[in-house]
Amino acid sequence: MGIFGRRIDIKNATKTTYSDEDLRKLDLNYRNKFQIDREKRIYTPFRKEMPRAWQSQVRDMAFEQILDDRIFSFRHLLVIPNPYGASVQTAMLLFNTPKEYRVRYRILGKTEGTDFVGETRMTTRHRVPIMGLYKGYTNKLILELIDSAGEVYQRRDLRIYTRDIPLGQQNIVTKVEHSESSCFPFILVNGFRFKPVVFDQNGEVRYSLQIKTDQTGMIPLENGRFLYVDATVNCMAADGSIRACRYHEMDYMGRVYQTYVLDYPVGRYAAQNGDSLFLLTASEKGYADDCIIELDRNTGQIRKKCLLQDLLGDKYRIEGNWIVASGMQYVQGQLILTMRRYHTVLSIDWEKQSVNWALAPESIWRGTVLADKLLKSVDREKMDGYMPESPNIQVQEDGSLKLRLYCIQNKGNVPAEGAESDDDSRIDFYNIDPVRKSFQKERSIAVVKSQRDAGCFYRQESDRILSLSGMLMRRSDNLKACIEELDGQTGRMINRLRLCKRYRSAWEFKPDIEAYSVPLEHDLDAVKGTIAPPALYKSVNGETLPEAVAEKLKKRYFGNIRVSDTLFLFAFCPGTVQNVYLIGETQSYVQCFEGLETRPRKESFCMALDQLELGEYQVYVEFDNQIYHLKNEIRVERSQQE
């Protein structure tokens, strides 16, 4: 019915559009709801920046007030482009109806098979998240009201213009090879040196995110959400590198549900089980990704920790980056960890902190604690998939697993006995029986040779494979990565997108439109965690700071200064600032940036203020070995609400 059949049109339908300035004025009415009653309060003339998680809540409060006013209807609705300031290819529709209806919309694609369809919940207060819009284009939408019986009550057309996206997210697809309608119509690509974008089967960008991030970018979670690395808040790691320390749990509309401020390094892979978030981190200084932690999403606290050395032994623990993980997933009480260097897929019983089974060449773990955990082949074939990437996993009714494993097929730095590098990569289809500790390889499909950052998805109904090659072995200026749709039996190439830029990861784009249509709850604890405070500053031989120079420190050298909740944020070119001092009457602090790796562009760094002693602090910056005094101060006072 409706979009898919009979139409009930509304003629002379209209719309109103709110600008960013209109929305910011509405937001001002709700900012005072985010005054947190803490033991200490921070006051400063420096610019205040509301955390993005609170900004999302404020914006939803403004939307709810618009719906309370009951000004807009289905005939005359409100259109808000880029409602959360995160993606120019999104919009929000707001209106009321006298009875409860669902809203179904279709973004008309430029060719067959590229329409984007979304549907909201039953309600009289309609917040319709619009996604799938073309960039720099006047998009045509068809909207329908659906009653409780599934019948179309009303229908109307709508046009929404979307402005262009940044140049770094354009012209990534250099060639499209298309023979049949795709079973994977929208693919999200998490770029290596570009922010995430979504391509349709024609290579058109249908979604993009404009929040600054690092090379990790986006990590998919459950329910249409993802973990996003915020590269605007960094600290100096122990080895002098720049490490992000703020992570947002977001949806594709750009709403931030929770923000985690983490004082430890986090790897590229994460997994979720309800309120638990599993992250890879370092066991100690000098190591990387050799420890798994379970983070409580409600508190930001670590529930449990698992050192991989305890599970694997110390045979290979001879250097800092000894794990080289290539994927992590949570499946029915077990964590599936893929270790590319050791050609291994590992199942970990998280509650017992033990290994269930391992799919790997026998020679890799011979004589170790994993030797008796290796799966045995039903057909007495050896496991010959080398350098595996994150598998596509399907759980069967009997508890067995079907693994589709993308194998790079290089012998690697830790070669198995008899291993040789192949000219092609391949996707292996495995059946895993955890009870009998056995595996059976069904078939292998040869794919284009990759070097790293690969993966695959499988659609059983249509027997199609989505092969993801984020970094090809044989690259050129116009071809560095590709996305291929293949026949699941023969490997015949059906559709292909050629990309001129590398990407870290990719997956099917499946936003939860119904969940996005529900407003966020008011949550003052949406920002969780903190980082270590700056070190106490003690004078040497009774000498205090050298006298500050008379001239001001220009903003182009040390700028974008602001305070966000309990973090003091600022930006400078790494290598130019040695220290930032907070000098008080009774106590002083210093944040050291000596030894920081140099970069040509400014990066944003932070200092924690929530653990400072009460008092007023003058801010000094040691830039190119000269001391500069900033004009504004920071005061830490006892809360007036006590």
Side-chain angles (χ1 to χ4, degrees):
M1 304 296 290
I3 288 176
F4 310 101
R6 179 171 58 90
R7 296 178 175 177
I8 304 171
D9 293 344
I10 291 181
K11 296 182 179 180
N12 302 319
T14 58
K15 67 176 181 180
T16 297
T17 301
Y18 273 13
S19 66
D20 289 341
E21 185 177 352
D22 295 328
L23 292 174
R24 283 195 293 269
K25 289 178 181 178
L26 287 173
D27 290 347
L28 293 175
N29 298 324
Y30 305 99
R31 286 181 173 266
N32 59 1
K33 293 182 178 290
F34 292 87
Q35 299 294 329
I36 299 181
D37 184 15
R38 289 196 176 100
E39 181 182 350
K40 298 176 183 178
R41 296 287 296 272
I42 298 167
Y43 300 90
T44 179
F46 287 119
R47 176 168 62 91
K48 298 291 182 63
E49 179 182 87
M50 179 174 278
R52 191 174 282 272
W54 293 354
Q55 292 179 32
S56 298
Q57 294 180 42
V58 166
R59 185 56 53 87
D60 271 5
M61 289 177 182
F63 292 162
E64 288 301 292
Q65 181 59 55
I66 292 171
L67 293 173
D68 287 342
D69 294 339
R70 302 184 64 85
I71 299 173
F72 301 99
S73 64
F74 188 63
R75 180 183 293 274
H76 180 73
L77 48 78
L78 176 63
V79 179
I80 302 174
N82 192 8
Y84 299 99
S87 173
V88 299
Q89 290 178 267
T90 60
M92 182 73 77
L93 308 183
L94 298 178
F95 61 92
N96 298 83
T97 54
K99 296 181 180 180
E100 286 193 343
Y101 297 100
R102 287 183 289 115
V103 178
R104 182 168 58 199
Y105 69 86
R106 180 187 290 269
I107 312 292
L108 298 184
K110 295 180 180 179
T111 61
E112 184 180 354
T114 58
D115 291 359
F116 184 91
V117 178
E119 194 168 303
T120 66
R121 59 181 181 141
M122 293 287 292
T123 183
T124 61
R125 301 164 58 88
H126 298 281
R127 304 160 42 101
V128 186
I130 302 296
M131 312 189 78
L133 299 169
Y134 289 96
K135 64 179 179 66
Y137 184 76
T138 300
N139 295 266
K140 185 177 180 181
L141 289 71
I142 300 175
L143 300 174
E144 289 182 334
L145 291 181
I146 313 295
D147 62 22
S148 57
E151 298 292 327
V152 176
Y153 173 68
Q154 285 183 335
R155 171 198 178 277
R156 63 164 290 180
D157 294 340
L158 178 67
R159 295 181 186 274
I160 298 178
Y161 175 76
T162 306
R163 63 182 176 89
D164 222 337
I165 60 177
L167 290 176
Q169 294 175 301
Q170 298 185 38
N171 303 317
I172 296 172
V173 174
T174 56
K175 187 176 181 180
V176 178
E177 299 171 70
H178 180 67
S179 61
E180 298 178 20
S181 182
S182 176
C183 293
F184 307 92
F186 301 98
I187 304 299
L188 188 143
V189 174
N190 181 36
F192 178 65
R193 295 190 185 277
F194 61 92
K195 301 181 187 72
V197 294
V198 169
F199 297 118
D200 64 16
Q201 64 184 20
N202 295 327
E204 293 267 11
V205 178
R206 302 296 294 275
Y207 171 84
S208 57
L209 197 62
Q210 280 81 46
I211 301 176
K212 185 178 180 182
T213 187
D214 65 5
Q215 293 181 2
T216 297
M218 187 183 284
I219 305 172
L221 300 176
E222 297 175 354
N223 305 323
R225 300 186 190 181
F226 56 88
L227 198 65
Y228 199 70
V229 183
D230 185 350
T232 65
V233 180
N234 301 294
C235 59
M236 187 177 81
D239 60 356
S241 62
I242 299 172
R243 175 173 60 80
C245 53
R246 188 161 70 178
Y247 297 78
H248 300 303
E249 184 182 324
M250 303 178 61
D251 64 29
Y252 292 114
M253 284 296 291
R255 294 194 301 182
V256 175
Y257 294 78
Q258 300 180 99
T259 294
Y260 306 100
V261 180
L262 305 179
D263 200 23
Y264 43 84
V266 173
R268 287 176 47 199
Y269 303 99
Q272 182 185 350
N273 176 38
D275 289 333
S276 293
L277 195 61
F278 301 94
L279 303 172
L280 283 168
T281 185
S283 61
E284 58 183 284
K285 181 180 177 180
Y287 288 86
D289 293 354
D290 63 339
C291 176
I292 303 174
I293 59 172
E294 179 184 358
L295 196 72
D296 188 328
R297 293 175 55 239
N298 296 317
T299 65
Q301 300 299 312
I302 296 176
R303 286 176 173 169
K304 193 180 293 186
K305 182 183 294 187
C306 176
L307 299 178
L308 292 180
Q309 181 186 7
D310 295 341
L311 302 181
L312 307 178
D314 56 5
K315 176 180 179 179
Y316 295 112
R317 196 175 186 263
I318 55 178
E319 58 181 38
N321 190 20
W322 66 286
I323 290 295
V324 192
S326 54
M328 184 169 66
Q329 303 175 52
Y330 187 89
V331 181
Q332 291 190 332
Q334 58 186 325
L335 277 174
I336 306 295
L337 179 68
T338 312
M339 297 181 290
R340 181 173 56 239
R341 173 171 288 179
Y342 310 116
H343 324 290
T344 298
V345 180
L346 191 71
S347 170
I348 302 171
D349 185 316
W350 184 251
E351 292 302 320
K352 296 179 180 179
Q353 301 273 294
S354 61
V355 175
N356 292 322
W357 51 263
L359 177 65
E362 183 273 336
S363 61
I364 293 294
W365 300 106
R366 185 183 300 155
T368 71
V369 293
L370 280 191
D372 61 346
K373 300 292 184 179
L374 294 176
L375 297 176
K376 307 296 182 182
S377 172
V378 172
D379 304 322
R380 297 185 178 181
E381 292 185 3
K382 67 176 183 178
M383 196 282 187
D384 59 353
Y386 306 128
M387 296 184 67
E389 297 288 319
S390 183
N392 176 242
I393 303 174
Q394 183 181 357
V395 182
Q396 304 300 295
E397 292 183 358
D398 60 359
S400 63
L401 304 176
K402 285 187 175 293
L403 262 64
R404 291 90 187 190
L405 192 62
Y406 193 114
C407 299
I408 299 295
Q409 289 307 98
N410 285 342
K411 61 182 181 180
N413 295 327
V414 185
E417 286 183 1
E420 294 291 340
S421 298
D422 294 341
D423 292 334
D424 296 318
S425 295
R426 75 184 195 206
I427 297 173
D428 291 340
F429 286 66
Y430 287 99
N431 288 326
I432 305 294
D433 189 335
V435 177
R436 297 181 179 180
K437 297 290 191 296
S438 64
F439 75 89
Q440 182 179 29
K441 186 165 74 171
E442 293 181 339
R443 62 186 184 276
S444 295
I445 301 294
V447 295
V448 63
K449 184 69 172 181
S450 293
Q451 185 171 337
R452 57 177 300 168
D453 299 332
C456 66
F457 290 90
Y458 179 67
R459 187 67 55 80
Q460 187 168 356
E461 310 84 62
S462 55
D463 197 15
R464 296 275 185 93
I465 301 170
L466 184 68
S467 175
L468 305 166
S469 303
M471 182 180 179
L472 294 173
M473 181 65 74
R474 294 174 284 275
R475 301 184 294 277
S476 64
D477 290 342
N478 291 324
L479 180 60
K480 290 185 169 61
C482 70
I483 299 171
E484 295 181 314
E485 187 172 350
L486 310 173
D487 183 279
Q489 296 296 323
T490 65
R492 176 179 63 90
M493 194 273 289
I494 299 171
N495 301 309
R496 177 191 290 160
L497 299 180
R498 299 188 179 208
L499 283 63
C500 65
K501 293 184 179 181
R502 287 177 52 191
Y503 60 85
R504 279 292 196 188
S505 54
W507 55 89
E508 288 187 81
F509 181 61
K510 294 182 177 179
D512 191 340
I513 300 297
E514 183 172 336
Y516 302 168
S517 67
V518 179
L520 295 176
E521 296 181 359
H522 185 207
D523 181 13
L524 292 176
D525 296 323
V527 181
K528 308 176 191 305
T530 187
I531 59 174
L536 288 173
Y537 175 67
K538 298 179 181 179
S539 59
V540 180
N541 298 326
E543 296 182 3
T544 58
L545 276 179
E547 185 176 351
V549 297
E551 59 264 26
K552 292 173 58 178
L553 182 57
K554 296 181 179 179
K555 291 182 179 179
R556 69 172 180 265
Y557 300 129
F558 189 91
N560 198 18
I561 305 171
R562 69 262 190 222
V563 173
S564 177
D565 192 23
T566 61
L567 295 179
F568 180 41
L569 307 176
F570 41 82
F572 60 86
C573 282
T576 60
V577 170
Q578 288 75 50
N579 295 286
V580 176
Y581 301 92
L582 300 178
I583 305 299
E585 293 183 0
T586 60
Q587 196 69 272
S588 298
Y589 300 88
V590 58
Q591 189 77 49
C592 178
F593 293 101
E594 288 188 279
L596 185 65
E597 64 179 10
T598 59
R599 291 190 183 179
R601 296 182 179 180
K602 286 200 294 187
E603 299 286 348
S604 186
F605 295 89
C606 66
M607 294 174 64
L609 303 177
D610 56 334
Q611 300 176 59
L612 303 187
E613 294 293 330
L614 301 178
E616 181 175 303
Y617 297 91
Q618 300 296 318
V619 183
Y620 292 84
V621 178
E622 186 176 354
F623 176 83
D624 281 349
N625 299 312
Q626 288 188 309
I627 302 296
Y628 293 83
H629 181 205
L630 304 187
K631 68 175 183 178
N632 292 332
E633 75 284 350
I634 295 174
R635 300 194 319 277
V636 181
E637 299 181 0
R638 197 173 302 279
S639 174
Q640 298 177 357
Q641 300 182 29
E642 290 187 354

